[in-house]
Amino acid sequence: MAKKKSSTGKILTYLGVFLVLIFVVGFGLRAAGIIGGETEGVMVETTKAKLKTITQLVSASGRIQPEVEVIIRPDVSGEIIELAVKEGDFINKGDLLVRIKPDIYQARIDELTAALLTQKARLEQTRASLIQAESAFKKNEELYKKGVISEMDYVQSKSNYDAQKASLKASEYQIQSAEAQIRRAEEELEQTVIRAPQDGTVTGLTVEAGERVLGNSQMAGTEMMRVSLLDRMEVLVEVNENDIVNIDLNDTTRIEVDAYPERRFDGIVTEIANSARVTGAGSNEQITNYQVKVRIVTPHNLGMSGSKLVKDEIAENPAASFSPNFKPGMSATVDIETETAINVVSVPIQAVTVRDFAKDSKSSAGKSGDDKTNDDIQSSSTSDDELIVKQEDIRKVVFVVEGGVANRREVETGISDNTHIQILSGVQAGDEIVIGSYRTLSKNLKNEDKVSVESSNTDAS
């Protein structure tokens, strides 16, 4: 009885091991796609092609700066004895900004005035000498005609008369030169008082009362302050050479400022540089960018415009009169709308991939050559294979699911935004297209492969 139970246990053990082996081998074959693959197909993700308005964007980062900014430098050197403004003050054109100590320039005027008076006195002396020389010349001229004096005496009196006339002219020119020097000195004296050249806000004040500054007669003078129109701000960005060709003047933009993360502001392209800014020249990391200026058209910095009416309106109704306060140097990101296509067939960008159609031609050629002899194949394989390898026929394609089969369609694309791309031909709105996975779509999926839809996203945006 014990032997019978032992043999029965062995049979059950062998049977269990056999079933486990069958299960493991079947699972491995199914995972490898040897069995069960024909009915299930390749797992893919799909969505529907749809009509959509696509706006092509060029994105760039930069900093905010005033559209109009005037650097105030002194025309004369000296000590600042009065600084009438502080940073952040709004000023009107003609307001006093800085007063430089005028003593040395006033003394210069006094010196030149005294020199002018001296020149005028000399002019009178020269005029008196001229009258005397003229009288002597006329008298000697009459005597010479009568033969009383020699020709040498006559010529000498005439030369003296001419010399006195030239001296008078020289004295007059010296007086004009002295008067010009006085006018210049008076202008320098006026330049010791510096006034605002325009309305604006004082930004970047770099001097204090009591400091000495240098004028810019021979070199760039000391930068004292800047006067900016803060209600007219712009964003200065750098755009790569590959994108600059798509940007035109007056293109509309969307501006995001780091200081206002939940808001977007409108802008417009006002300037596009013609000269490039190259970094890393001559190296593998060379970058060529072009500066683009984008004016912020959304009303901003209204409280800094100097208008009492605007300030009162903001104080009465701050919610309705929201005005962002941009400051020079703030970081901003600009999306420039370069082109818009309205209500066009579009698909997600990842749905468009590429395939080498030359490989299909090579495969077809190989199938049609099955009837050739081995000698024919060997004689032509070298040249034909080299030709096929060298020639590529890369085309853009989209895989469309129809009846559980992925059909490859060649497409022509247009503009794109951050998520979708325009399809000009090859796909119609409503077609179910493959959008993933990336590995399957970019390498593994072939024309007329059976597919199994893992998840269909018909509302992908």
Side-chain angles (χ1 to χ4, degrees), residues 14 25 81 106 122 139 161 165 214 244 282 297 352 392 442 446 456:
Y14 293 150
V25 171
I81 61 174
Q106 183 61 58
R122 290 177 180 174
K139 181 179 179 180
Y161 174 57
K165 287 194 296 184
L214 296 177
I244 195 67
V297 298
V352 180
E392 292 184 344
S442 62
K446 297 181 177 58
S456 180

Side-chain angles (χ1 to χ4, degrees), residues 12-29:
L12 293 176
T13 301
Y14 293 150
L15 181 60
V17 172
F18 179 72
L19 292 176
V20 170
L21 289 175
I22 292 177
F23 177 78
V24 171
V25 171
F27 181 79
L29 293 176

Side-chain angles (χ1 to χ4, degrees), residues 72-74 80 98 194 204-207 213 222-226:
I72 306 298
R73 302 177 188 271
I80 298 176
V98 175
I194 301 174
L205 184 62
T206 58
V207 295
V213 293
T222 305
E223 178 180 333
M224 299 189 298
M225 67 186 72
R226 302 189 179 202

Side-chain angles (χ1 to χ4, degrees), residues 152-450:
M152 182 178 296
D153 292 336
Y154 168 72
V155 172
Q156 185 177 2
S157 64
K158 184 177 184 303
S159 299
N160 186 39
Y161 174 57
D162 293 339
Q164 292 299 327
K165 287 194 296 184
S167 296
L168 181 64
K169 284 290 185 183
S171 297
E172 291 175 349
Y173 293 148
Q174 288 176 351
I175 289 176
Q176 293 178 4
S177 175
E179 290 174 344
Q181 292 179 9
I182 289 177
R183 288 195 299 270
R184 178 179 178 181
E186 289 174 346
E187 184 177 352
E188 290 179 345
L189 179 62
E190 292 178 357
Q191 289 171 350
T192 60
V193 178
I194 301 174
R195 299 187 179 275
Q198 65 176 27
D199 295 349
T201 303
V202 177
T203 57
L205 184 62
T206 58
V207 295
E208 296 289 345
E211 292 186 18
R212 292 190 61 84
V213 293
L214 296 177
N216 58 3
S217 57
Q218 301 296 331
M219 63 187 71
T222 305
E223 178 180 333
M224 299 189 298
M225 67 186 72
R226 302 189 179 202
V227 178
S228 309
L229 297 180
L230 295 184
D231 57 345
R232 293 168 56 185
M233 304 291 278
E234 64 184 7
V235 184
L236 180 64
V237 298
E238 292 193 355
V239 179
N240 188 266
E241 59 182 324
N242 298 322
D243 296 324
I244 195 67
V245 294
N246 298 322
I247 300 176
D248 295 316
L249 291 175
N250 299 322
D251 280 347
T252 57
T253 65
R254 311 168 193 168
I255 302 172
E256 294 184 358
V257 181
D258 293 352
Y260 296 93
E262 303 300 326
R263 296 181 181 271
R264 285 190 176 184
F265 308 98
D266 299 326
I268 186 172
V269 176
T270 56
E271 289 186 29
I272 302 174
N274 290 317
S275 57
R277 297 171 61 90
V278 181
T279 58
S283 66
N284 294 332
E285 299 179 355
Q286 177 173 324
I287 300 175
T288 303
N289 291 331
Y290 291 82
Q291 287 191 336
V292 176
K293 292 183 179 180
V294 178
R295 177 184 299 161
I296 304 176
V297 298
T298 300
H300 55 276
N301 293 8
L302 297 181
M304 302 180 185
S305 63
S307 172
K308 185 177 185 303
L309 178 60
V310 172
K311 293 180 180 179
D312 291 343
E313 291 177 353
I314 295 175
E316 291 178 2
N317 192 3
S321 304
F322 170 75
S323 170
N325 290 325
F326 298 135
K327 295 184 179 297
M330 283 185 172
S331 301
T333 302
V334 176
D335 291 330
I336 304 173
E337 300 177 358
T338 59
E339 188 176 352
T340 300
I342 301 175
N343 205 31
V344 295
V345 178
S346 64
V347 299
I349 293 178
Q350 68 269 22
V352 180
T353 185
V354 293
R355 289 293 187 271
D356 186 1
F357 279 57
K359 291 183 179 179
D360 295 345
S361 301
K362 181 179 178 181
S363 300
S364 300
K367 291 180 180 179
S368 62
D370 289 342
D371 297 334
K372 293 183 180 180
T373 63
N374 291 336
D375 294 338
D376 294 336
I377 294 174
Q378 290 177 358
S379 63
S380 62
S381 62
T382 302
S383 60
D384 291 345
D385 287 348
E386 288 180 355
L387 180 63
I388 292 174
V389 169
K390 291 180 180 179
Q391 293 179 345
E392 292 184 344
D393 186 9
I394 303 297
R395 306 181 193 177
K396 295 179 181 179
V397 298
V398 167
F399 286 92
V400 179
V401 178
E402 296 174 317
V405 175
N407 293 319
R408 183 184 65 191
R409 292 190 188 176
E410 182 181 354
V411 295
E412 181 181 358
T413 60
I415 64 174
S416 63
D417 58 16
N418 294 332
T419 58
H420 285 70
I421 187 169
Q422 178 187 6
I423 303 297
L424 301 176
S425 63
V427 173
Q428 301 295 326
D431 289 346
E432 186 177 7
I433 59 172
V434 178
I435 61 172
S437 65
Y438 171 78
R439 181 177 182 83
T440 298
L441 189 58
S442 62
K443 294 183 178 180
N444 299 336
L445 191 61
K446 297 181 177 58
N447 189 31
E448 298 183 353
D449 277 355
K450 291 184 179 180

Side-chain angles (χ1 to χ4, degrees), residues 79-142:
E79 178 187 348
I80 298 176
I81 61 174
E82 182 179 356
L83 184 61
V85 296
K86 60 180 182 296
E87 187 168 353
D89 286 351
F90 183 86
I91 57 176
N92 296 304
K93 182 177 181 179
D95 287 351
L96 175 65
L97 300 179
V98 175
R99 193 186 300 274
I100 297 174
K101 190 175 183 179
D103 296 5
I104 187 173
Y105 300 100
Q106 183 61 58
R108 176 65 174 165
I109 292 176
D110 295 340
E111 179 184 356
L112 293 174
T113 301
L116 175 61
L117 295 176
T118 301
Q119 292 296 335
K120 288 182 177 180
R122 290 177 180 174
L123 175 64
E124 295 302 324
Q125 291 177 352
T126 305
R127 183 175 286 113
S129 299
L130 175 62
I131 294 174
Q132 184 178 0
E134 181 181 11
S135 176
F137 167 69
K138 290 181 178 180
K139 181 179 179 180
N140 288 339
E141 185 178 22
E142 293 178 359

